[in-house]
Amino acid sequence: MSDLNNIPESILSSNNFSLSLSGCYSGTHVYDLSTARCYFDSDKFDDTTRSNLRSLYDYFTKVKSPDTIVQPTGIMPPGVIHIDDSLIIFERPPSYQNIQLIPHLLENINYDKSDTIIYRLPIPWTIYFVTYSVYSGVHYPNSIAMYFSHNSLQSSDFSSTQLYLPPLCNFYTNGELCNPLFDSMDELNRYSNDIAGVINASYNWIWDTGTNVDLTMNIAEFIYQSRHNTDLRDNNPLSKVITSNLYPTTYYVDTSILNSFFLSWEKLSLQDVSSYSWPNPSAYKKNMQRIGQLGESLLHSYFDYHGIDADECREYNEEEDDFYYSYDELRYHEYVHNTLITPANFYDVYDRIVASSLADTPAFSKPSISNVVNNYFSSISAQSS
Amino acid sequence: MSHYDNRFQHLVIDKENTYYYTFNPNVHYLDLLSQHNLTYYNYANRNNRVFSMRENVFSSSNADERLNNIYSQLIDKDYFSSPSPYYPPILSSYNLESGYSIPTSLLDEYHNKTYGPRKPLYSYPIATRYISNDGTIYIERPPFQAVIDFKPAGAYSRTKKRLTSRKVWIPWSIFTFNPSYPQQSQKMFFSHKSLSSYEDLYFPTFLPNTYLDGRICYSNSLSTLPLDQIDQQNISSLYSYMINEYFAGSWNSDLTNPMYTIFHSLYKIFLKDPTCVEKYPLLNLIITPSLDLLSSSGALDYKPLAHHASYFLSLYENHYSVPSNSWLSSLDLPSFHYYILSIFSTFSLQQVLDLYEELADFYRSNTSKSFNSNFKSFSDITKLDYTSPFSGDPYIFSERTQPLFQSLMHTVSQIAVHNDTFPDYTQTPAYVLYINGARTVSNSWHTNTSVLNKSSYVHNTILNTICSNFKYNTDYYSHNLFYVYDCLTDTLTHIPENLYHSQITDTTSSYHNFYLDLTEKFYQNSSPLLISDIFPTHSSFLEPTDV
């Protein structure tokens, strides 16, 4: 039997509560929850009855109408696109945002010493995907993802809107924010305990909590994709400004490159910024898949060359619940570099992987909200099952 | 709704299973639905004549009428001279039909599947600012200009007066509606600014075909809302249709302009407090406009308006005694619409916003009761639209829960069918013998069956108890559904099968005889009947239940 969390225990155990509907079948088909209504007329409608009825009502509301919002949303900012019981999508128009960059890794930050650099960046249309939960009646944002867009989602068709990866720190390469750290959950008390509160918290966590240089992978993606993504290369002036020998195996971008990147970005006009293209949010995943496949292929080639039984090298990592190969890494690298790929063309191989990933459709050439939303739903479904 | 056509649906949920039954009253109260030979109502008069009424049932399609007809034939005048304060026993039979039975875990699985993100098919309208938990949507719109072509007459008037066109600025507005009720429930409110807090004040519009409480009168125009073409989840499309339908035209003077009440009240307050003139110049401008303004706005083009305006305003301008009632109160509906729209057509956007800001300031400074009803904070507006079904008002409870529970059985049956579970529709007879109901002297059927009209709560509780005690078992066909309800003690006693079978078998004559014996006992004395009188054997084992 599944975990019956939502039907009141008092109903399940007592079996005394039942819904009695009197329906006039021959006439107007008027239904009336007679029993409960009559509870109102008597003194039997106590808090327990009210609570039971409320629980049952909410329970069957979800069964019947999954899209029903159970409590008022609160006053939301304009731009809300979609709400359901675990996901909110909203957008904001182009605006200037101050990025407060502390040019250090988190572990090296000296909060007594202020060397924060502020960049005032023109930001295009932004679209936010926020998953949230309600625990003990309190709304909590879970994951927050943000993407750039050419225009308002409300003025366009869902399936045709292109979403782009924001080349900012604090974001992962799928567009998700690395949530800020707070000393306590009191941070949430600043916001109303409703959908509006989740929206405001999410927005503020992106733009008002400062940033360090722990996560610079999206700027790296911008640089990698500039070499192969014609849409990005031709439609964003920043792609010509930032050149680097950065290769796909490196996702840490030096602060000098970051500074140069953001200073150049500051010079873009707010009017034009929404017309520019930005990195593809789906490319990283595909790259990693292919790089992983390449690595696997190289490893097996090494095993074959040296007559090593691959199965004997497989070991189980209990902590990660996954298998890995145990082998002599030095010998492996010697093999790879001496036999298969020379240092000169090593990076070229990876570059070609990136290029082929970027060239694939539909993952790249027209990154669409449906792709992103599909990915989102599948990951959330996986979490909840 | 007549009680006598009722069929009861009954849902029982416990940890193991969810059961769905239907109670069909075969003989409900005095009504006869003679589907079987067993199903007849037994009524005994003082002479112990038992009537079995069948054909008479169908002489009228109205159940109450049928019952009254039956009753008038049955009534025995001697009964009313009887000393017994109680009503003769009534034996009602029911047909308990089993519906779906599913494991409750299945219900819960279905419930759990509804959680999780759903792919958005449509977006909300731009600037959706609030959604209440009954689904009412509040959409904000920034200021814009609208051309108001209105007929200075009622909708169906064949006036030859020309349509009047005025271009006005519409301030910040909130439009609300509930997509579940797309042909009703629309409202619109104005403000001088964008919504930022629950304390922000909202006011009625100054437009025709709106009410003081914000409702919009579409007349029948929304009846042509193409619901077959617009998905009711596509709230943007619904909203577009509704807002365009309103601003597309066809205004008339059917309704009082909402501003009428407001300015009429303001006049009196301004009269008492002359400082208001300086504090609220735009409001004052509307209350006591100059003749020049009236002329330049085109208001005087409307002759009925011109006539009134000239007279009253000359009194005011020449400092003659100022009337205690605003000159506006003398205007008829078309004239007032004409006036307000003409004046507003001369206002810039800033002036319109300032005017609503003055209204807000005025309200905050003057909280007189008579004025309060014209203004609502956003918090008040949302409360108006939504009241929790569990707030304590039984009417609200019924209204809010009806749509859900109406489909409840269907939902359970869908889950069952989806899991290849089908009901057997087994029918089990159930009987309730009502004893010791207090009688009245009226000849009316309704009054005299007070034992069964005691309250629907009692009656439903009886059926609930019967149903809750009954567990459908395909291997066991039970006749074990015989209950006695004692109106005097409000107790329901289940009579075990072996006990009532000692007196009643499944034959018509058996029930006849049982009933005859019972009514004989009833007429023999004026004391209340006891169960031991009805079932003398082993009745000490019986445990009545409080209802």
Side-chain angles (χ1 to χ4, degrees):
Chain A
M1 189 171 72
S2 70
D3 189 15
L4 301 172
N5 280 328
N6 297 295
I7 304 179
E9 181 62 29
S10 57
I11 291 171
L12 297 177
S13 57
S14 72
N15 197 24
N16 283 334
F17 184 90
S18 53
L19 308 171
S20 171
L21 306 180
S22 60
C24 179
Y25 283 75
S26 60
T28 58
H29 297 281
V30 174
Y31 287 80
D32 174 27
L33 189 61
S34 301
T35 303
R37 179 173 180 165
C38 292
Y39 276 133
F40 277 104
D41 295 334
S42 72
D43 57 3
K44 296 200 179 186
F45 195 75
D46 55 13
D47 286 343
T48 305
T49 308
R50 187 194 305 269
S51 172
N52 282 341
L53 281 173
R54 177 74 212 222
S55 295
L56 270 181
Y57 177 80
D58 287 347
Y59 183 89
F60 281 108
T61 298
K62 295 307 295 180
V63 171
K64 164 88 175 73
S65 309
D67 293 323
T68 301
I69 293 171
V70 178
Q71 74 174 69
T73 58
I75 296 176
M76 303 182 290
V80 175
I81 293 164
H82 169 81
I83 303 172
D84 62 41
D85 48 39
S86 59
L87 175 69
I88 303 166
I89 306 176
F90 66 97
E91 65 180 16
R92 287 294 170 94
S95 63
Y96 284 102
Q97 293 288 351
N98 289 336
I99 306 297
Q100 302 171 57
L101 179 70
I102 303 174
H104 301 289
L105 294 172
L106 180 65
E107 62 202 20
N108 298 334
I109 293 175
N110 181 354
Y111 291 100
D112 293 330
K113 183 182 169 191
S114 169
D115 54 354
T116 304
I117 309 169
I118 298 178
Y119 301 97
R120 187 168 175 260
L121 304 180
I123 304 294
W125 280 94
T126 42
I127 298 177
Y128 303 79
F129 291 76
V130 180
T131 61
Y132 73 99
S133 309
V134 183
Y135 294 117
S136 301
V138 180
H139 287 67
Y140 294 93
N142 293 334
S143 68
I144 303 164
M146 181 184 76
Y147 302 94
F148 287 174
S149 174
H150 287 309
N151 47 32
S152 161
L153 203 61
Q154 285 171 326
S155 63
S156 55
D157 180 14
F158 268 131
S159 61
S160 65
T161 302
Q162 286 186 289
L163 297 184
Y164 298 103
L165 196 64
L168 297 166
C169 302
N170 281 4
F171 282 91
Y172 295 105
T173 49
N174 61 357
E176 277 194 23
L177 177 74
C178 175
N179 285 358
L181 301 171
F182 297 106
D183 292 334
S184 72
M185 296 305 288
D186 289 344
E187 153 69 13
L188 285 170
N189 293 339
R190 297 171 55 201
Y191 305 99
S192 55
N193 183 23
D194 49 32
I195 299 285
V198 172
I199 292 172
N200 291 331
S202 307
Y203 186 82
N204 287 348
W205 288 2
I206 290 175
W207 298 113
D208 293 337
T209 53
T211 183
N212 52 48
V213 295
D214 274 28
L215 297 178
T216 58
M217 52 190 70
N218 285 3
I219 294 93
E221 273 295 302
F222 185 99
I223 295 169
Y224 303 146
Q225 292 192 24
S226 295
R227 291 204 283 271
H228 305 285
N229 180 344
T230 51
D231 181 39
L232 178 59
R233 197 172 55 215
D234 297 342
N235 295 311
N236 192 315
L238 289 178
S239 65
K240 297 174 179 56
V241 170
I242 304 299
T243 56
S244 166
N245 289 328
L246 224 50
Y247 279 92
T249 52
T250 308
Y251 273 88
Y252 176 74
V253 178
D254 187 72
T255 48
S256 61
I257 299 175
L258 285 180
N259 187 51
S260 182
F261 182 75
F262 288 134
L263 284 175
S264 301
W265 189 343
E266 273 189 324
K267 293 174 185 163
L268 301 178
S269 81
L270 183 61
Q271 195 175 350
D272 296 334
V273 76
S274 281
S275 63
Y276 298 149
S277 294
W278 300 87
N280 179 349
S282 307
Y284 175 80
K285 190 174 169 184
K286 202 162 256 313
N287 288 343
M288 287 299 106
Q289 280 171 357
R290 291 194 174 169
I291 289 170
Q293 285 163 5
L294 174 67
E296 185 103 354
S297 166
L298 288 174
L299 191 60
H300 281 279
S301 176
Y302 161 76
F303 288 149
D304 289 342
Y305 182 79
H306 288 287
I308 298 170
D309 186 343
D311 288 336
E312 283 182 12
C313 296
R314 276 188 77 174
E315 294 186 16
Y316 177 68
N317 184 328
E318 197 172 320
E319 202 176 292
E320 293 187 11
D321 189 25
D322 200 2
F323 289 94
Y324 67 98
Y325 287 107
S326 174
Y327 54 92
D328 185 336
E329 289 198 22
L330 188 61
R331 209 173 164 202
Y332 165 74
H333 281 293
E334 278 176 1
Y335 165 78
V336 168
H337 290 292
N338 297 335
T339 310
L340 293 182
I341 305 173
T342 63
N345 63 12
F346 179 78
Y347 290 115
D348 190 42
V349 169
Y350 280 93
D351 241 1
R352 277 190 273 124
I353 288 172
V354 171
S356 67
S357 300
L358 293 174
D360 272 356
T361 57
F364 171 67
S365 61
K366 285 268 182 194
S368 67
I369 190 170
S370 58
N371 284 344
V372 176
V373 169
N374 282 339
N375 290 341
Y376 230 86
F377 290 154
S378 57
S379 68
I380 289 167
S381 297
Q383 286 168 29
S384 62
S385 65
Chain B
M1 182 176 77
S2 165
H3 284 288
Y4 309 113
D5 285 323
N6 287 353
R7 198 192 321 173
F8 287 84
Q9 293 188 89
H10 194 94
L11 188 73
V12 178
I13 305 175
D14 66 26
K15 267 188 177 163
E16 299 297 325
N17 292 298
T18 295
Y19 306 91
Y20 162 18
Y21 301 111
T22 306
F23 252 115
N24 299 309
N26 284 332
V27 179
H28 198 148
Y29 307 101
L30 268 188
D31 199 4
L32 298 173
L33 302 170
S34 54
Q35 297 168 22
H36 307 285
N37 286 336
L38 278 175
T39 57
Y40 55 86
Y41 170 70
N42 294 315
Y43 175 80
N45 67 2
R46 190 169 171 75
N47 296 321
N48 285 338
R49 289 166 57 205
V50 175
F51 295 87
S52 172
M53 309 297 294
R54 266 181 283 189
E55 281 73 20
N56 293 37
V57 168
F58 305 108
S59 63
S60 167
S61 60
N62 178 292
D64 290 347
E65 201 178 295
R66 280 205 300 278
L67 292 164
N68 269 319
N69 288 342
I70 296 167
Y71 187 75
S72 63
Q73 293 176 44
L74 293 176
I75 194 66
D76 184 339
K77 288 175 190 172
D78 289 344
Y79 161 66
F80 286 109
S81 61
S82 153
S84 171
Y86 303 109
Y87 196 81
I90 298 172
L91 179 66
S92 290
S93 80
Y94 301 89
N95 196 331
L96 179 59
E97 186 179 272
S98 63
Y100 292 95
S101 170
I102 59 172
T104 301
S105 58
L106 217 58
L107 188 64
D108 219 45
E109 263 177 46
Y110 194 89
H111 171 271
N112 288 341
K113 274 185 199 165
T114 66
Y115 278 95
R118 283 166 286 287
K119 292 185 186 178
L121 295 175
Y122 311 105
S123 64
Y124 287 123
I126 291 176
T128 295
R129 302 299 310 276
Y130 182 90
I131 304 173
S132 68
N133 51 340
D134 74 338
T136 300
I137 302 207
Y138 295 72
I139 302 155
E140 184 175 69
R141 193 169 174 179
F144 63 99
Q145 269 190 315
V147 174
I148 312 295
D149 296 316
F150 76 100
K151 181 163 78 168
Y156 298 104
S157 162
R158 292 188 177 190
T159 179
K160 290 182 182 168
K161 291 173 186 161
R162 289 181 305 163
L163 274 185
T164 304
S165 176
R166 293 287 183 266
K167 194 175 195 178
V168 295
W169 278 101
I170 308 295
W172 286 92
S173 57
I174 289 273
F175 186 94
T176 90
F177 74 101
N178 191 319
S180 300
Y181 311 102
Q183 288 167 327
Q184 54 190 355
S185 79
Q186 291 81 7
K187 290 184 184 175
M188 187 160 56
F189 303 92
F190 285 173
S191 175
H192 66 285
K193 68 183 198 60
S194 172
L195 175 65
S196 59
S197 108
Y198 284 107
E199 280 67 51
D200 286 353
L201 293 180
Y202 281 85
F203 308 91
T205 77
F206 57 84
L207 300 172
N209 298 108
T210 60
Y211 292 90
L212 193 59
D213 63 0
R215 282 176 300 138
I216 297 174
C217 175
Y218 282 95
S219 185
N220 289 323
S221 63
L222 278 191
S223 61
T224 58
L225 182 67
L227 288 175
D228 55 335
Q229 293 166 32
I230 300 178
D231 184 342
Q232 275 183 261
Q233 289 182 46
N234 191 345
I235 297 166
S236 290
S237 291
L238 284 175
Y239 166 69
S240 274
Y241 189 94
M242 290 169 190
I243 196 84
N244 290 338
E245 185 64 24
Y246 178 73
F247 281 102
S250 300
W251 287 277
N252 53 57
S253 303
D254 269 358
L255 303 179
T256 307
N257 191 297
M259 283 289 155
Y260 173 84
T261 309
I262 290 174
F263 284 107
H264 185 58
S265 306
L266 281 176
Y267 177 85
K268 294 193 177 192
I269 295 171
F270 275 38
L271 208 57
K272 287 182 190 168
D273 183 3
T275 60
C276 290
V277 171
E278 224 177 287
K279 273 192 228 169
Y280 311 106
L282 284 167
L283 293 179
N284 186 59
L285 192 82
I286 294 184
I287 294 168
T288 47
S290 65
L291 280 168
D292 285 342
L293 177 61
L294 284 176
S295 174
S296 61
S297 68
L300 296 181
D301 295 347
Y302 188 64
K303 285 185 184 156
L305 173 59
H307 172 73
H308 282 286
S310 303
Y311 175 70
F312 281 98
L313 292 175
S314 65
L315 286 179
Y316 197 81
E317 283 188 346
N318 294 319
H319 305 289
Y320 292 145
S321 62
V322 176
S324 59
N325 277 328
S326 162
W327 72 283
L328 298 173
S329 64
S330 66
L331 299 181
D332 61 10
L333 297 188
S335 298
F336 191 88
H337 285 299
Y338 208 106
Y339 170 69
I340 280 292
L341 290 172
S342 298
I343 296 293
F344 270 82
S345 70
T346 67
F347 286 169
S348 65
L349 170 59
Q350 191 58 55
Q351 284 177 304
V352 173
L353 296 178
D354 287 345
L355 183 134
Y356 274 89
E357 188 172 10
E358 283 184 15
L359 276 173
D361 288 344
F362 183 87
Y363 169 74
R364 290 204 167 94
S365 316
N366 291 275
T367 51
S368 66
K369 224 174 177 179
S370 61
F371 210 53
N372 280 3
S373 60
N374 301 329
F375 305 91
K376 294 279 180 287
S377 68
F378 186 71
S379 170
D380 293 330
I381 290 171
T382 55
K383 279 178 197 157
L384 285 175
D385 279 334
Y386 178 74
T387 312
S388 165
F390 304 95
S391 60
D393 183 331
Y395 175 76
I396 297 285
F397 178 83
S398 291
E399 196 189 50
R400 299 288 175 179
T401 57
Q402 263 181 34
L404 174 69
F405 290 115
Q406 187 170 344
S407 62
L408 188 58
M409 304 305 172
H410 179 65
T411 301
V412 171
S413 34
Q414 271 188 316
I415 295 170
V417 168
H418 185 70
N419 288 275
D420 294 327
T421 304
F422 298 94
D424 285 341
Y425 294 119
T426 302
Q427 298 188 2
T428 304
Y431 299 90
V432 180
L433 177 68
Y434 298 87
I435 59 174
N436 305 326
R439 72 169 231 205
T440 71
V441 296
S442 162
N443 280 352
S444 156
W445 160 248
H446 288 286
T447 314
N448 272 297
T449 54
S450 58
V451 58
L452 297 171
N453 280 342
K454 187 169 181 140
S455 74
S456 51
Y457 167 74
V458 169
H459 188 254
N460 289 347
T461 305
I462 291 170
L463 296 187
N464 283 344
T465 306
I466 295 171
C467 200
S468 296
N469 292 339
F470 177 75
K471 290 287 171 63
Y472 173 68
N473 187 326
T474 51
D475 296 330
Y476 177 69
Y477 181 75
S478 173
H479 289 262
N480 201 19
L481 297 178
F482 196 105
Y483 290 83
V484 176
Y485 177 71
D486 188 337
C487 302
L488 200 59
T489 58
D490 273 337
T491 51
L492 186 71
T493 305
H494 173 235
I495 309 296
E497 187 178 351
N498 59 336
L499 200 60
Y500 79 81
H501 267 181
S502 63
Q503 290 171 240
I504 311 170
T505 59
D506 287 335
T507 61
T508 306
S509 57
S510 174
Y511 277 96
H512 259 295
N513 294 334
F514 165 75
Y515 195 72
L516 280 173
D517 290 341
L518 184 62
T519 48
E520 192 173 334
K521 284 173 193 168
F522 169 75
Y523 284 118
Q524 275 171 2
N525 57 53
S526 56
S527 307
L529 278 172
L530 302 173
I531 293 187
S532 55
D533 296 330
I534 308 170
F535 299 103
T537 314
H538 305 302
S539 60
S540 58
F541 291 114
L542 300 172
E543 289 180 12
T545 313
D546 287 335
V547 169

